[in-house]
Amino acid sequence: MIKDQVVKCLLCDLSKNRINAVPGNGNITDKVMIIGEAPGKNEDLIGVPFVGSAGKILDKALQEGGLERNDVYITNVVKCRPPNNRVPTDNEIQICTSKYLKNEITLISPKVICILGATALKSLLGFEHMSKYRGKIINVEPHRYFITYHPAATLYNTKLKQVFFEDIHKLSSIIKADTYTMDRYFS
Ligand code: URA
């Protein structure tokens, strides 16, 4: 299992400073995958993604959108905490995504992949401009992506937080829609 490989991974230097590697977690049957950047301090301590302050915002936004954490699968671009929460390097991203994230996506085959923040956007789609894609659903075969801010970016910015909550609400409506309606959302 990918989880077993992640917890003992030594493929890059991030493994040297971690307490725990943080594998993806959640429901693989409802086929909604949410992808963040990298574990932070709390995630490193516990070994579960999005359990700190950004996770609380994400949970609340999901709840307000009528979704529970149990309805989605949550993972990160890299599975170990970068020192001082720095942005993961291109090399770390390349190693971790080619070994783990790509396999998670292939195995789960999500109906929608929700990208949280600029690092995940760049890592998955090679796109640089969050503002251009935020709130949009884009079809990059063979997957459909919904793009929004990273919840940590909304911590001290009420405006961004409101937009984030609206985006997650939109995501929730999309995934609750039937296939016909859903197809109309996607370009
Ligand atoms: N930020 C992330 O991108 N991922 C986590 O798991 C926690 C915070």
Side-chain angles (χ1 to χ4, degrees):
M1 267 174 53
I2 296 175
K3 181 180 176 180
D4 302 324
Q5 295 168 1
V6 166
V7 295
K8 50 182 193 220
C9 179
L10 299 174
L11 287 176
C12 84
D13 282 352
L14 292 182
S15 62
K16 293 186 180 156
N17 298 309
R18 75 178 178 224
I19 297 172
N20 286 294
V22 181
N25 171 276
N27 185 323
I28 58 168
T29 52
D30 275 358
K31 305 209 173 285
V32 182
M33 183 183 272
I34 297 181
I35 304 179
E37 176 175 316
K41 190 173 179 207
N42 293 291
E43 291 76 21
D44 181 51
L45 280 173
I46 298 175
V48 176
F50 282 99
V51 290
S53 44
K56 290 199 172 69
I57 294 179
L58 177 60
D59 284 347
K60 191 151 186 268
L62 288 170
Q63 262 172 19
E64 290 196 8
L67 288 171
E68 295 296 329
R69 186 178 264 250
N70 291 341
D71 297 328
V72 298
Y73 179 87
I74 303 182
T75 193
N76 283 300
V77 170
V78 300
K79 312 302 192 219
C80 296
R81 182 191 183 199
N84 301 317
N85 297 341
R86 67 160 168 74
V87 176
T89 64
D90 289 348
N91 189 45
E92 289 157 358
I93 290 171
Q94 205 279 329
I95 293 171
C96 208
T97 56
S98 61
K99 180 77 182 165
Y100 304 118
L101 184 62
K102 287 195 174 131
N103 289 343
E104 286 174 287
I105 294 174
T106 305
L107 278 174
I108 294 172
S109 185
K111 197 152 97 164
V112 188
I113 296 173
C114 176
I115 290 181
L116 301 179
T119 301
L121 180 61
K122 177 87 193 316
S123 307
L124 280 146
L125 297 176
F127 298 167
E128 298 271 3
H129 302 290
M130 168 56 66
S131 55
K132 191 167 158 194
Y133 299 103
R134 196 233 96 239
K136 297 205 171 91
I137 302 148
I138 48 172
N139 211 352
V140 179
E141 290 293 339
H143 298 293
R144 288 158 161 174
Y145 298 85
F146 180 77
I147 293 142
T148 187
Y149 294 127
H150 192 290
T154 76
L155 269 171
Y156 305 106
N157 186 325
T158 9
K159 270 202 185 135
L160 286 197
K161 198 171 188 175
Q162 191 184 335
V163 175
F164 176 72
F165 272 62
E166 286 165 8
D167 282 352
I168 297 294
H169 201 280
K170 182 173 173 186
L171 172 72
S172 167
S173 319
I174 292 165
I175 60 189
K176 285 180 176 174
D178 61 27
T179 311
Y180 170 73
T181 315
M182 196 165 132
D183 279 343
R184 290 175 27 220
Y185 277 106
F186 291 94
S187 45

